[in-house]
Amino acid sequence: MTTLVDLFPPLGLRVVAGPLELRGLTDALLVELCDVAEAGIHDPDRMPFYFPWSTAPAGQLSRNTAAYHWAKRSSFSPDDFGLELAVLLDGRVIGAQGVSAKSFPVTRTGETGSWLGREFQGRGLGTVMRRAMCALLFDHLGFEEITSAAFLDNPASLGVSRKVGYQPTGVRRLERRDGELALNQGLVLTPETFVRGDVRIEVTGAEAVRSFIGLDAAG
């Protein structure tokens, strides 16, 4: 009998790094993720994201979050995809980690993005989940480069990138919110600069995803 993982292999991904896990974002996990978003991601006077999605009113934020992930799932293709994973700590959803890529079979690059519920921040979990994601991408999904970016007034995100081994590229001047200038630091990571840390990472479900993103199982 056909399963949901057969239809959409990313739902079968599981990356374990000690008590922290990245899992394919099923609808059941998505409901939990929406509750985490509603509970708060950052202080109201701060905006860590280029697109201020996290400022939606209560209730609407959950619907927007669900719609975003459903759209990413439905439009997934090797030429334009967003691989979105739930982040769990001791079995509880605490945030999300993703990567977006275009023309991946040729470019072998993509940009990571992530967020944690506010109550889970400042505990080193952002570094562990980013390392787990990068290990998945480099070791199992054929990535040769990973990019990221963070605003200069977001030292926590920049600190995670530095610990993982991302190197700075250029700084862009962006309008973050209406009339607000913000400086955005570009970053790039390669297998040679990747700082893996000492947490063992175990991956299951990657082989089917390789084919799904345009790579053969041996490639």
Side-chain angles (χ1 to χ4, degrees):
M1 179 182 294
T2 301
T3 67
L4 285 175
V5 173
D6 293 329
L7 298 174
F8 191 70
L11 295 179
L13 271 174
R14 187 176 182 218
V15 185
V16 178
L20 188 140
E21 297 178 61
L22 308 182
R23 290 188 198 165
L25 194 52
T26 63
D27 282 351
L29 293 176
L30 180 54
V31 171
E32 295 184 47
L33 184 67
C34 290
D35 288 342
V36 176
E38 289 281 5
I41 302 171
H42 55 80
D43 293 334
D45 59 345
R46 296 184 60 251
M47 176 45 62
F49 306 120
Y50 173 56
F51 178 75
W53 61 272
S54 53
T55 59
Q60 188 62 48
L61 178 56
S62 288
R63 290 188 287 273
N64 290 353
T65 300
Y68 169 82
H69 288 289
W70 286 329
K72 287 294 184 182
R73 190 188 303 174
S74 67
S75 64
F76 196 109
S77 76
D79 287 329
D80 189 356
F81 68 79
L83 176 62
E84 302 290 337
L85 304 177
V87 180
L88 296 86
L89 179 65
D90 294 322
R92 177 186 178 186
V93 175
I94 63 171
Q97 175 74 64
V99 64
S100 298
K102 293 184 181 294
S103 303
F104 176 74
V106 174
T107 65
R108 300 294 184 95
T109 187
E111 180 146 326
T112 51
S114 62
W115 61 270
L116 281 171
R118 185 161 48 182
E119 67 175 294
F120 305 104
Q121 296 171 12
R123 297 161 55 179
L125 299 172
T127 302
V128 177
M129 62 195 252
R130 186 93 69 88
R131 281 177 171 151
M133 186 65 165
C134 292
L136 168 68
L137 301 181
F138 282 142
D139 299 345
H140 299 272
L141 298 184
F143 279 68
E144 297 177 1
E145 176 189 86
I146 303 169
T147 62
S148 188
F151 289 109
L152 293 185
D153 60 2
N154 188 358
S157 179
L158 291 169
V160 168
S161 296
R162 183 171 56 253
K163 291 174 185 175
V164 175
Y166 287 76
Q167 302 299 305
T169 54
V171 175
R172 295 188 296 164
R173 296 168 60 88
L174 301 175
E175 183 179 27
R176 178 166 46 185
R177 290 175 286 197
D178 290 344
E180 178 190 3
L181 171 67
L183 302 180
N184 190 260
Q185 175 68 63
L187 302 153
V188 64
L189 182 71
T190 64
E192 292 74 25
T193 63
F194 181 25
V195 179
R196 294 178 176 269
D198 56 5
V199 177
R200 182 179 178 182
I201 296 170
E202 301 177 1
V203 175
T204 56
E207 186 170 323
V209 177
R210 286 182 60 86
S211 177
F212 204 57
I213 61 176
L215 304 176
D216 59 53

